[in-house]
Amino acid sequence: MGDDFIVETKNLTKEFKGFVAVSDVNLRVRRHTIHALIGPNGAGKTTCFNLITKFLQPSRGQILLNGRDITKTEPAAIARLGMVRSFQISAVFGHLTALENVRVALQRKQGNSMHFWQSDRSLDSLNERAEQLLADVGMLEYRDTAAGELSYGRKRALEIATTLALEPEMLLLDEPMAGMGSEDVARTAQLIRRVSASRTVLMVEHNLSVVADLSDTITVLKLGKVLAEGPYGEISQNPEVIEAYMGHGVGSHA
């Protein structure tokens, strides 16, 4: 049934001055799952992601969110509909503490940006929810630390907390492990698994070990088209996928 899928694309296509970056992509993201979008360099992953999140407008095709056509909807309106892209919409302010960053996001959710300039007493009313969100991402002990002083991995955890403040039904993660050391990768993977318990996650990720461990479904793109789709055990044995990665170890979690 259609309502099993929170996001669907139909013949999604993007051309740049005659170059077809994404070609007739039909993607269906099942509700309450972690769905990964992978592929070798130049596969069209980022373009596809930007189309779904409306940072790019498709040349043709259709994008549905909960059965609603959002093909021409602006990114801010899509966020209000419950689909939020982390690391893009959620800004972290380096001079503010972790708690203050989450409070700003909560104010945005309330639609009261002027709240930012109100008294400390007014802002304190948001503290309980902000502390709960920090605890959800394992960041409560850093509540009073300036965001600019956090490690790269913890800064990303804070970004997820600010995104969760918007109460998204679907969370889109653009290369969440990029630039991380192994300790931060493990911590962030646990975090993604935890936050996915009550929402849907679509992510673009190069770390195939993370993809293997986290994803329910994987869509592999090559030259802008869907090459294969399925669970990791299935796609990692697909000869076309192995060839596309040219021995980069898709079957060995490289």
Side-chain angles (χ1 to χ4, degrees):
M1 292 178 60
D3 59 5
D4 287 338
F5 299 98
I6 185 168
V7 164
E8 296 182 69
T9 70
K10 298 181 178 181
N11 301 318
L12 192 62
T13 299
K14 182 63 177 178
E15 297 181 11
F16 296 99
K17 296 181 178 179
F19 171 70
V20 181
V22 171
S23 177
D24 291 319
V25 168
N26 295 300
L27 185 70
R28 299 200 298 176
V29 180
R30 191 174 294 277
R31 199 178 307 278
H32 298 144
T33 64
I34 300 177
H35 193 125
L37 198 58
I38 71 169
N41 290 336
K45 304 181 297 296
T46 299
T47 302
C48 192
F49 208 70
N50 286 337
L51 291 169
I52 293 169
T53 54
K54 301 315 307 298
F55 285 78
L56 284 175
Q57 185 64 26
S59 302
R60 58 182 177 273
Q62 199 176 22
I63 306 165
L64 303 177
L65 174 63
N66 284 320
R68 173 176 177 167
D69 190 334
I70 61 165
T71 310
K72 297 186 182 302
T73 306
E74 294 296 318
I78 288 173
R80 289 193 291 272
L81 291 173
M83 184 167 75
V84 178
R85 179 174 181 170
S86 188
F87 314 144
Q88 295 288 335
I89 291 174
S90 56
V92 167
F93 302 101
H95 64 289
L96 298 182
T97 67
L99 183 75
E100 289 166 341
N101 268 282
V102 180
R103 270 195 328 208
V104 169
L106 288 169
Q107 290 158 223
R108 186 184 304 164
K109 173 64 177 174
Q110 291 181 345
N112 186 3
S113 59
M114 292 306 292
H115 200 167
F116 182 82
W117 305 110
Q118 294 179 13
S119 67
D120 286 345
R121 181 180 300 176
S122 177
L123 291 176
D124 284 345
S125 66
L126 300 174
N127 279 355
E128 185 177 353
R129 177 60 180 150
E131 288 180 346
Q132 181 184 344
L133 286 164
L134 286 174
D136 286 347
V137 300
M139 287 289 295
L140 187 55
E141 64 183 290
Y142 299 98
R143 71 185 295 282
D144 298 318
T145 302
E149 298 174 9
L150 295 170
S151 71
Y152 183 73
R154 290 195 170 96
K155 199 174 292 182
R156 288 226 143 169
L158 176 58
E159 288 174 329
I160 289 181
T162 63
T163 303
L164 295 180
L166 302 177
E167 299 181 8
E169 182 182 5
M170 181 171 184
L171 185 61
L172 298 108
L173 304 177
D174 190 2
E175 298 186 27
M177 311 300 177
M180 289 188 185
S182 57
E183 183 178 333
D184 280 339
V185 165
R187 186 184 296 116
T188 304
Q190 290 175 354
L191 170 57
I192 292 170
R193 183 177 282 112
R194 192 157 66 240
V195 302
S196 70
S198 57
R199 55 185 59 82
T200 307
V201 174
L202 175 64
M203 65 178 182
V204 170
E205 180 53 54
H206 285 290
N207 187 321
L208 294 181
S209 179
V210 169
V211 169
D213 291 340
L214 286 181
S215 304
D216 299 295
T217 304
I218 299 166
T219 299
V220 185
L221 295 181
K222 180 185 178 184
L223 299 177
K225 297 183 178 181
V226 174
L227 180 64
E229 185 172 275
Y232 187 85
E234 181 180 309
I235 69 106
S236 64
Q237 303 303 316
N238 184 311
E240 288 184 295
V241 174
I242 295 169
E243 182 182 357
Y245 273 90
M246 296 175 61
H248 283 76
V250 67
S252 58
H253 294 198

